[in-house]
Amino acid sequence: KNEVEQSPQNLTAQEGEFITINCSYSVGISALHWLQQHPGGGIVSLFMLSSGKKKHGRLIATINIQEKHSSLHITASHPRDSAVYICAGGVAGNQFYFGTGTSLTVIP
Amino acid sequence: NAGVMQNPRHLVRRRGQEARLRCSPMKGHSHVYWYRQLPEEGLKFMVYLQKENIIDESGMPKERFSAEFPKEGPSILRIQQVVRGDSAAYFCASSPPVVRSGYTFGSGTRLTVV
């Protein structure tokens, strides 16, 4: 079992839909990161959370420390949001445990 | 501020050759991390370095792989005598000494071994 689990693995949505990607972790973490990777592209850090909620444009990330769970929401999804979204738990020593990613496809 | 710079973006090597991957951290970042992403798999930690010092290399294969971050110049991930199984995307990230919002990834180097 991975220390960080994401669901779903694959997600297809119609343009405009509200999207939720979930991340659960089994280790104690200092912070949780959400990353975005476009096909053949680099990795962009979207959020780093240690508590509560953060919002950036149409993206919202939440974390529940007690339940060891985080969600990434995308409002009014757009085809350019199509990418792999990766959840990563930061632990002591600046280490990270990565989820295997959620592949999102937004259809026009 | 150019961000984390990795080069080359794509690298093709024949089996048995050496591969050298370079990573220049963001300005002001003193810590560098290397990750490997095998096809259809998630990111896996390889090594964590400060200038002239390896902090954690627990994710590095025991043979053929080495990393350095010299006082001057970029961090180098070196793979000797490459094999087909080394084909992957190698990502570098950098951060200040305490990771807060400053953890930044490079665009990666895609290594293909033929």
Side-chain angles (χ1 to χ4, degrees):
Chain A
K1 188 182 187 307
N2 290 333
E3 292 84 359
V4 176
E5 296 277 358
Q6 284 185 241
S7 64
Q9 270 192 303
N10 297 287
L11 180 57
T12 301
Q14 289 291 136
E15 184 174 355
E17 283 185 3
F18 181 83
I19 288 162
T20 296
I21 300 170
N22 294 301
C23 174
S24 297
Y25 51 93
S26 58
V27 293
I29 64 169
S30 55
L32 188 124
H33 295 246
W34 282 101
L35 311 170
Q36 180 192 55
Q37 184 177 25
H38 282 98
I43 295 172
V44 174
S45 180
L46 298 174
F47 294 103
M48 189 181 78
L49 293 161
S50 51
S51 66
K53 176 179 170 178
K54 285 191 176 180
K55 185 175 189 290
H56 182 69
R58 295 180 294 105
L59 301 177
I60 303 166
T62 63
I63 188 168
N64 184 318
I65 302 293
Q66 287 74 27
E67 293 185 6
K68 294 189 174 180
H69 181 270
S70 176
S71 292
L72 176 69
H73 305 285
I74 305 174
T75 61
S77 59
H78 191 276
R80 65 174 173 267
D81 297 327
S82 298
V84 175
Y85 292 84
I86 302 167
C87 166
V91 297
N94 289 350
Q95 297 299 329
F96 286 90
Y97 289 107
F98 292 91
T100 51
T102 294
S103 179
L104 170 66
T105 303
V106 181
I107 300 170
Chain B
N1 191 344
V4 177
M5 303 300 292
Q6 286 190 251
N7 66 81
R9 288 294 303 273
H10 301 274
L11 181 62
V12 179
R13 285 287 177 265
R14 294 188 183 279
R15 279 181 296 172
Q17 290 185 320
E18 178 180 285
R20 281 182 175 246
L21 289 62
R22 293 174 190 78
C23 170
S24 297
M26 274 188 75
K27 190 176 179 182
H29 286 189
S30 55
H31 293 226
V32 164
Y33 315 79
W34 285 94
Y35 297 91
R36 178 165 63 174
Q37 187 178 42
L38 291 167
E40 307 303 321
E41 293 188 20
L43 286 159
K44 300 291 183 189
F45 167 77
M46 298 183 77
V47 63
Y48 163 28
L49 309 111
Q50 287 176 302
K51 290 273 186 187
E52 299 184 287
N53 192 18
I54 296 175
I55 305 298
D56 183 345
E57 56 181 347
S58 58
M60 289 280 269
K62 295 286 183 261
E63 296 175 346
R64 301 187 298 108
F65 284 72
S66 63
E68 62 175 7
F69 189 15
K71 189 176 179 182
E72 301 292 336
S75 175
I76 306 284
L77 178 67
R78 183 179 175 209
I79 311 171
Q80 294 178 290
Q81 298 173 327
V82 296
V83 300
R84 288 231 169 96
D86 297 332
S87 296
Y90 292 83
F91 288 94
C92 165
S94 72
S95 78
V98 178
V99 174
R100 290 197 176 88
S101 58
Y103 201 90
T104 306
F105 280 86
S107 298
T109 293
R110 278 153 186 82
L111 172 66
T112 303
V113 179
V114 297

